[in-house]
């Protein structure tokens, strides 16, 4: 009888099932060379003895790994949580194990967790860079010679493959919608300087204004944290302007949620007193009061695309960056301009 404190080995399984050690190994590899009856006998023996396959050791012997790093900048933001779900589902379907870390927008934590994942044998990385990630860090990651795909946020000057929505086109579409409703003073709310996503979305916003012959007032670009708190603070700044805008395009839905709350606190309502448009169309966007007009991105699809892109990189296949399609979802938060 085996001691309850001794680690069960493949030899123990082979003895219990009445097969060779090599047969047990083939069963663990899901080989088709093993007869079904023999496979069942080995599996029963494994279950009886409580055997746990050391997949990490097997990966070392094969010089490959089934573990991939999934490093997300802010899992408290539902948008990135939905992206993470899409990545995880695609990786698990392909037989890979995602090792997840939330950096909380902290570049130092990002460096630590990625190094730890590397030490634990991660074969590649999917990551959404934290705000403040610099080119030097990215080039350090490149020196590891592992495939890396960035999600949502590119790092300028670094040739990682990337997956992102059409940020320029989406912001232009949203701004054109507001212009079509008669708004001429439209603010852009949220985001920090140096964020590539903000720069792209501001570009689309400015393009729509220019096409309509409207001035791009730099005072109407209100930089704030890309979350609810930023939206709450930003809408206060917008409303206190000497000549306040009649509409705001928010950096993302989280910022828009904060703006909606800020309006409610003041007894105001989006769509009536200030038109509000978000960006992402996360699950809660349709259930705010009033429901939020926003640019739909399809978060989970972006996550799946990112996972498949990394898997292609691992296989050595030719790959290209992916820019996801966007569409405007019009709801009640973006009402027409009210003539004073």
């Amino acid at each position: 009888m085996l001691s309850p404190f001794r680690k069960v080995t493949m030899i123990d399984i082979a003895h219990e099932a009445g097969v060779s050690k090599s047969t047990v190994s083939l069963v663990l590899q899901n080989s088709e060379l093993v007869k079904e009856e023999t496979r069942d006998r080995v599996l029963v023996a494994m279950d009886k003895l409580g055997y746990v396959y050391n997949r990490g050791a097997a990966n070392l012997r094969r010089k490959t790994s089934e573990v991939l790093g999934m490093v997300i900048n802010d899992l408290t933001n539902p948008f990135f949580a939905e992206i993470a779900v899409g990545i995880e589902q695609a990786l698990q379907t392909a037989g890979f194990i995602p090792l997840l870390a939330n950096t909380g927008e902290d570049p130092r934590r990002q460096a630590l967790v990625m190094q730890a994942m590397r030490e634990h044998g991660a074969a590649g990385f999917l990551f959404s860079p934290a705000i403040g990630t610099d080119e030097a860090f990215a080039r350090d990651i490149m020196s590891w010679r592992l495939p890396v795909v960035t999600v949502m946020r590119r790092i300028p000057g670094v040739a990682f493959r990337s997956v992102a929505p059409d940020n320029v086109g989406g912001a232009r579409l949203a701004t054109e919608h507001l212009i079509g409703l008669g708004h001429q003073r439209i603010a852009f709310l949220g985001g920090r300087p140096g964020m590539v996503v903000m720069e792209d979305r501001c570009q689309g916003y400015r393009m729509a204004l220019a096409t309509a012959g409207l001035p791009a007032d730099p005072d109407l670009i209100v930089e704030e944290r890309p979350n609810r708190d930023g939206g709450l603070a930003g809408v206060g700044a917008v409303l206190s302007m000497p000549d306040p805008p009649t509409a705001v395009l928010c950096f993302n839905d989280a910022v828009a949620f904060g703006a909606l709350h800020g309006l409610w606190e003041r007894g105001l309502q989006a769509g009536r007193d200030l038109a509000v448009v978000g960006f992402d169309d996360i699950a809660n966007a349709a259930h705010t009061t009033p429901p939020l007009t926003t640019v739909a991105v399809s978060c989970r699809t972006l996550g799946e695309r990112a996972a498949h892109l990394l898997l292609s990189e691992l296989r050595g296949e030719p790959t290209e960056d992916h820019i996801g399609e966007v569409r405007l979802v019009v709801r009640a938060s973006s009402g027409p301009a009210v003539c004073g």
Side-chain angles (χ1 to χ4, degrees):
M1 181 177 178
L2 291 175
S3 165
F5 303 109
R6 184 171 74 80
K7 185 176 180 181
V8 179
T9 67
M10 284 199 292
I11 294 175
D12 297 324
I13 300 300
H15 183 267
E16 178 70 26
V19 298
S20 68
K21 179 183 174 183
S22 60
T23 299
V24 176
S25 179
L26 288 171
V27 170
L28 292 171
Q29 296 172 44
N30 294 318
S31 171
E32 296 179 356
L33 298 175
V34 182
K35 293 181 180 179
E36 195 66 31
E37 178 185 345
T38 304
R39 183 188 307 276
D40 291 342
R41 199 160 69 246
V42 170
L43 293 175
V44 168
M46 289 171 60
D47 186 58
K48 178 180 177 181
L49 298 180
Y51 177 76
V52 178
Y53 183 36
N54 189 337
R55 195 171 296 276
N59 286 337
L60 287 174
R61 291 192 293 271
R62 298 200 298 268
K63 306 299 182 186
T64 61
S65 173
E66 295 171 343
V67 174
L68 295 172
M70 190 165 74
V71 183
I72 307 298
N73 59 297
D74 183 10
L75 283 174
T76 65
N77 184 331
F79 174 78
F80 289 103
E82 290 181 32
I83 281 183
V85 169
I87 293 172
E88 184 179 35
Q89 289 177 339
L91 292 183
Q92 289 185 344
T93 299
F96 284 83
I97 302 167
L99 196 57
L100 174 64
N102 175 39
T103 65
E105 298 287 15
D106 184 345
R108 291 172 298 177
R109 174 167 172 75
Q110 176 177 265
L112 289 172
V113 298
M114 292 185 75
Q115 180 61 45
M117 288 178 176
R118 180 193 183 197
E119 291 170 0
H120 281 81
F125 292 92
L126 289 143
F127 88 114
S128 182
I131 296 173
T133 300
D134 58 22
E135 185 177 334
F137 169 76
R139 295 203 175 280
D140 185 39
I141 300 300
M142 290 183 74
S143 72
W144 298 353
R145 299 188 179 278
L146 295 173
V148 175
V149 173
T150 60
V151 187
M152 280 304 298
R153 298 174 177 175
R154 303 188 314 276
I155 304 175
V158 181
F160 291 144
R161 284 287 177 243
S162 68
V163 171
D166 183 357
N167 289 308
V168 176
R172 182 171 186 170
L173 194 64
T175 308
E176 288 172 346
H177 167 69
L178 291 169
I179 293 170
L181 291 172
H183 296 281
Q184 296 190 3
R185 281 186 61 76
I186 302 167
F188 184 97
L189 174 58
R192 293 294 198 189
M195 293 178 64
V196 175
V197 176
M198 181 188 181
E199 292 171 0
D200 287 347
R201 292 179 182 177
C202 278
Q203 180 184 345
Y205 157 80
R206 292 190 184 98
M207 288 169 65
L209 293 176
T211 300
L214 296 174
D217 185 346
D219 291 336
L220 291 180
I221 297 179
V222 181
E223 296 167 0
E224 262 297 345
R225 291 157 293 177
N227 56 28
R228 287 174 183 257
D229 289 342
L232 182 62
V235 80
V238 162
L239 294 173
S240 65
M241 291 179 176
D243 184 14
T246 59
V248 293
L249 168 60
C250 296
F251 173 79
N252 59 20
D253 286 349
V255 170
F257 293 165
L260 294 180
H261 186 72
L263 290 171
W264 174 81
E265 286 185 333
R266 293 166 173 80
L268 304 175
Q269 181 177 308
R272 183 190 67 197
D273 302 295
L274 180 72
V276 177
V277 178
F279 204 117
D280 293 337
D281 195 28
I282 61 177
N284 289 335
H287 307 294
T288 55
T289 303
L292 181 66
T293 295
T294 185
V295 178
V297 165
S298 186
C299 317
R300 291 200 184 188
T301 301
L302 281 178
E304 292 170 1
R305 283 283 192 155
H308 289 306
L309 186 54
L310 182 62
L311 294 173
S312 294
E313 292 262 299
L314 284 167
R315 292 190 292 263
E317 299 170 354
T319 58
E320 295 181 351
D321 294 344
H322 173 74
I323 298 178
E325 294 182 358
V326 297
R327 61 188 176 86
L328 185 68
V329 179
V330 179
R331 301 189 180 105
S333 72
S334 59
V338 177
C339 296

